[in-house]
Amino acid sequence: MSNRFRATFLFTLAILVLPAIASADILFRGWGIRAGIGDDPDQGIVGAHWDLGTLTTNLRFQPNFEAGFGDNQSIFGLTLPLHYVFPVDGSFVPYAGGGAVIA
């Protein structure tokens, strides 16, 4: 991906997201630990995520940091995802989302 395309993409994304952030309910609401295993490379993965509130109805911002160790290498990453939380009744709340990763 060229630097010009990347800059244009990030600028466009910022223009689209900034109005939502300005009217959002963004504040620290809590954090949690993440852990798991990875394949190719075979690694143990640990990290943490932060619940920073909602941008708009049912759209949550929950960035996280992860580190992978093993298979003779280390991997570090910061993810900036947006999660759409499906409006359902009950204690189990499904969500779907995606975001940018800085690795």
Side-chain angles (χ1 to χ4, degrees):
M1 178 182 320
S2 74
N3 287 338
R4 186 177 195 153
F5 176 78
R6 184 177 302 146
T8 303
F9 174 77
L10 292 174
F11 178 76
T12 304
L13 183 63
I15 293 299
L16 294 173
V17 171
L18 283 176
I21 292 173
S23 63
D25 183 20
I26 296 291
L27 58 104
F28 179 73
R29 295 180 183 220
W31 68 280
I33 295 173
R34 304 168 67 87
I37 56 172
D39 180 33
D40 197 21
D42 297 329
Q43 293 188 321
I45 301 170
V46 296
H49 65 261
W50 297 268
D51 182 356
L52 297 181
T54 57
L55 294 174
T56 186
T57 305
N58 299 336
L59 192 60
R60 181 175 62 200
F61 181 51
Q62 190 171 335
N64 64 72
F65 172 79
E66 294 178 343
F69 302 99
D71 208 12
N72 296 320
Q73 58 184 311
S74 299
I75 298 175
F76 302 94
L78 174 67
T79 307
L80 305 170
L82 294 174
H83 295 155
Y84 178 80
V85 180
F86 294 96
V88 297
D89 293 328
S91 60
F92 177 75
V93 181
Y95 67 89
V101 176
I102 301 168

